[in-house]
Amino acid sequence: MTFASIRRGYHVIKTLLQYGLDEVLPPKMTPWYFKLARNSLFWIRNKHKNKPGGERLKLAMQELGPVYIKLGQMLSTRRDLLSDEWASELAMLQDKVPPFDGALARQAIEAELKAPIESLFDHFDETPLASASISQVHTATLKSNGKAVVLKVLRPNVEAKIQADLLLMSQTANIIDYLLGEGNRLRPAEVIEDYRVTILGELNLKLEALNAVKLRNNFLNSDALYVPYVYEEFCYPRLMVMERIYGIPVSDIAALKAQGTNFKLLAERGVELFLPKYSVIIFSMQICIRAIFLSR
């Protein structure tokens, strides 16, 4: 490991311990050698004893940055693994991450556009509409047609921070792979490599814009899904501009009920949209299973 990775690793451990996350682990996950290692870091104290465990984990992941926030987002969907309290806290990492300065967002947007925002947009709001781990969203209207749009811009220096954490994770995974031996089924190095490809793909907003255009074209005549229009002429690796639409998050059950949503139809539409994506995989699995039985 490099010195930078060791230093970052210490910072990660220090942050987790300062939020007292070692104290919320069940006894079966804290064997004697874990307790020995924890006691060896006696100078790092829990500074958040008054906060519940779910909130501690959310705050720790926020402090550690994009890679860990993304991990928290993934965990928030696993209510089979986490309690409702913990899952609800982590769900706040979806779009309620503390924002960065709107003035910095303006600078980043203008750097991509190579022009002042006011030359292309009216009513640009420096207060973000939403803020997530990798990017932040601001509202405006297009000068050319007066339509409402949102501008999605990457956080400052987010690429370097993610690369540093991915390097640490990869080096740690390689060590675990070595310790477990060739016969291990966990294969942490492969898991981290898959995660690396996924998260790095999210750092290119131009690529995201192109994918959104393809998706919109595929569902132009659909009653089940509406994909916002993307203004490709204003899309760059660190900036994406698209039509602003209004809606209710599918997780906000109370609001959906208040507007009289047909949940049966909503579920049917969800299945219709979900199944085509996996139909080829399912069909292939059926062929494989049938071939196995026929060969017996």
Side-chain angles (χ1 to χ4, degrees), residues 205-226:
L205 297 185
K206 180 68 173 180
L207 179 60
E208 181 178 334
L210 293 174
N211 289 332
V213 170
K214 291 179 183 177
L215 185 64
R216 177 180 170 82
N217 291 336
N218 289 338
F219 287 92
L220 273 180
N221 301 314
S222 172
D223 294 328
L225 180 67
Y226 181 81

Side-chain angles (χ1 to χ4, degrees), residues 156-293:
N157 303 316
V158 68
E159 297 94 336
K161 293 176 182 177
I162 286 178
Q163 290 284 9
D165 275 335
L166 288 175
L167 177 60
L168 172 63
M169 288 182 170
S170 178
Q171 291 171 335
T172 303
N174 287 332
I175 292 173
I176 295 174
D177 257 348
Y178 175 78
L179 294 175
L180 293 177
E182 294 183 1
N184 82 85
R185 299 175 60 185
L186 183 59
R187 301 186 183 278
E190 292 183 13
V191 172
I192 296 302
E193 176 59 22
D194 289 341
Y195 185 47
R196 186 187 72 83
V197 172
T198 299
I199 197 167
L200 290 182
E202 296 186 30
L203 293 176
N204 189 336
L205 297 185
K206 180 68 173 180
L207 179 60
E208 181 178 334
L210 293 174
N211 289 332
V213 170
K214 291 179 183 177
L215 185 64
R216 177 180 170 82
N217 291 336
N218 289 338
F219 287 92
L220 273 180
N221 301 314
S222 172
D223 294 328
L225 180 67
Y226 181 81
V227 180
Y229 181 82
V230 175
Y231 293 89
E232 294 183 71
E233 65 272 28
F234 300 129
C235 293
Y236 300 88
R238 306 193 85 253
L239 174 67
M240 177 178 175
V241 179
M242 61 195 305
E243 170 191 6
R244 182 179 183 181
I245 61 173
Y246 300 84
I248 300 172
V250 72
S251 58
D252 192 346
I253 304 299
L256 290 173
K257 287 182 177 179
Q259 75 161 12
T261 300
N262 185 333
F263 284 92
K264 181 176 181 296
L265 178 60
L266 181 63
E268 290 173 352
R269 292 276 173 84
V271 171
E272 289 172 5
L273 295 169
F274 176 82
L275 284 181
K277 179 179 178 181
Y278 295 98
S279 58
V280 175
I281 298 175
I282 294 171
F283 181 67
S284 300
M285 289 176 63
Q286 290 174 336
I287 292 176
C288 291
I289 293 171
R290 185 176 299 177
I292 291 171
F293 277 100

